[in-house]
Amino acid sequence: MVFICWGSFAQVSVSSQQALELQKQLIDTADYYKYSPQLNNYITYSFRAIELMPQIEGNHYHKLKFYARFAYRLQQLGLIKESIRQSNVFIDYHEGFQKQLKPEEELELFQYAAFNYSILAQNYSDIEQQDSAAFIYKKGIAFTANRQSRYYVSALNNYGLYFYYEKKDLDSALYYFKNAKAFAEEDFSDVHIYGSVIDNIADVYFETGRIEEANRLYRQNFAFYQKVPFDENDFYPIDYGRIMSSGYQYIDTAVRLNNMEAAEQTLVEMNRYLNEESEPEWRLDYLTAKETLEQARGEHQQANQTLQEIGMLKDRLAELKLTSVTELQNTLNQIVLERIQESLAYEKQEQQEQIRKQRLRFWIVVLTLSLFIFILFYLYQQRKQSLLIADEKAKNAALQNKQLNYEMEAKKRDLTDFAINLSQSHEWAKDLYNQIQAIKETRGRARKKEFDELETEIKNKVVFDKETESFYEKLDSLSGVFYKKLQEAYPKLTKNDIRLCSLIRLKIDSHEIATLQNITISSLNTARYRLRKKLNLSENTDLDVFIQSL
């Protein structure tokens, strides 16, 4: 493992190959911390790898694989919005460059793409954007339907879960579960996803009162998970969590059917999978099944003791979760602070370089002016000496001397004006330098407060200037094809409407768009509403998703 130090690499011009090699080092370093307590290192190195993406030409397979894996890990960490952003980057990138991949690369990335549709839809559901979730679920089904694979089974199953959990529509959920089961039974009945489908069907049966059918399927799954390899997990050969879950579900339904012997035998089988290294969740399922059986046998005192164990275990799990959330939040705060500090350091370096250049120009002008004045003074003295010697010469010579004095006076006035302007410029530079020096001399929280105030002041005073115009010129030049497509499809769109579409298409957030257009968030929302009307969008159509699909 090679550990690297990070500077402002994304701000330094390097070759595509150099950027690629540096990015691979960053990814390797991030992976080292992937499942360690030092998550801040994993996230920091991953984001720094992303910053190098624009400098790397080609290498689509390498970049796509990184985006897909990073989006999944972010979801595991609970960073849902950032996971959504990375998944969308991956899907858009994959759609745009899929035809440029080698066959073996395209085959592997098909699996990543199928999985990303699933986690993206789940993420949208987690943040209550159900329309977007349904749209992505259906898009995932359409994408995986082109190949006979277990990912098509998974896509159908996930859409069924969407109806089961989010819509509470058991009929629709059962419809998709059964479609997934029928497809899986042909070629994938020995794959892990098949057990998930069976489990979901059993859950629907249980909720609709079909206990005997649910009991049969839970028993089938309890045996299924004990023999099917857990190919979706690198740590465990079989899915112990599913074994314990299906075992508890089977015991619960067996007790309801008064099949005590089968329930007791299943509890014995579950106990064989528990040891000191077992996950707390597995033990929780076992204890819940045990308490259910004890209550059914009338062993109330033992059941109460088991309930106490369950309570303590739940408290432990809650404490672990709270600790994990706290550590993750601290990690994110540290990362944000580090990135702000790096940005401020770079800005300070740029400012110091500007001041250095201004000082250099100032002294060049001062030296040039001094030399010029000395030359003028020397010429003046020489001329004056000549005039004293030639005083007796003709009036014409005196007239010429007078004219020369007029010219010199005019030049002196010009030099005076120039010196005043220079002095004012020097004072401006000196004030700017003193302000920066004052900030540098502060320490601790006061320094951070000064930086925050300076940042806030600068943001509040930003206006439409040449840099903004330059940004829009670049945006217009790079979005020519997109502009043409919009104008042909929607001729009533204004130039500002089209620019707003292009900014949305680049996934720039609302605050940044409002800043670039020099308007408030309220005005931006009004502009988005008018744009929806011009695009004839229904209320159920997501504006951002629609524009990004063009």
Side-chain angles (χ1 to χ4, degrees), residues 365-382:
V365 171
V366 169
L367 290 175
T368 303
L369 180 60
S370 299
L371 179 61
F372 184 58
I373 293 174
F374 173 77
I375 293 173
L376 286 178
F377 180 76
Y378 175 77
L379 292 175
Y380 173 76
Q381 290 290 72
Q382 289 292 100

Side-chain angles (χ1 to χ4, degrees), residues 100-164:
Q100 299 184 28
L101 299 170
K102 298 177 183 178
E104 62 274 15
E105 294 176 341
E106 200 280 326
L107 178 61
E108 183 177 357
L109 286 172
F110 167 79
Q111 302 172 12
Y112 280 104
F115 191 64
N116 258 262
Y117 279 116
S118 173
I119 65 173
L120 178 58
Q122 180 61 54
N123 285 338
Y124 276 131
S125 183
D126 288 344
I127 62 173
E128 303 300 328
Q129 293 188 17
Q130 303 303 342
D131 290 342
S132 297
F135 175 80
I136 297 299
Y137 275 127
K138 289 186 283 189
K139 194 171 180 180
I141 291 173
F143 175 78
T144 55
N146 296 327
R147 299 191 182 190
Q148 301 293 310
S149 73
R150 62 180 179 176
Y151 296 101
Y152 180 58
V153 179
S154 180
L156 292 170
N157 185 57
N158 290 336
Y159 198 34
L161 289 171
Y162 168 78
F163 282 105
Y164 185 89

Side-chain angles (χ1 to χ4, degrees), residues 7 77 120 173 211 248 252 291 295 301 312 314 360 441 525:
L77 295 173
L120 178 58
I211 305 301
Y248 159 66
D252 184 43
E291 188 271 338
Q295 291 285 11
Q301 183 177 358
M312 289 188 294
K314 286 183 176 179
L360 180 61
E441 290 174 1
N525 290 334

Side-chain angles (χ1 to χ4, degrees), residues 428-492:
W428 175 83
K430 184 177 180 181
D431 290 341
L432 179 60
Y433 173 77
N434 290 336
Q435 184 181 1
I436 294 173
Q437 289 298 112
I439 294 175
K440 286 172 62 179
E441 290 174 1
T442 59
R443 292 292 183 271
R445 295 182 179 177
R447 184 179 187 182
K448 181 179 183 303
K449 181 179 178 183
E450 296 248 8
F451 274 132
D452 291 342
E453 290 176 354
L454 178 59
E455 182 181 31
T456 302
E457 180 182 350
I458 293 172
K459 286 182 179 179
N460 290 337
K461 292 183 179 181
V462 171
V463 296
F464 261 51
D465 56 10
K466 292 182 179 180
E467 291 182 3
T468 305
E469 288 300 316
S470 175
F471 169 80
Y472 277 121
E473 288 174 4
K474 292 179 181 178
L475 180 68
D476 294 343
S477 65
L478 293 173
S479 305
V481 175
F482 179 67
Y483 282 9
K484 183 178 179 182
K485 185 176 180 180
L486 273 178
Q487 287 173 336
E488 291 176 353
Y490 305 98
K492 292 183 179 181

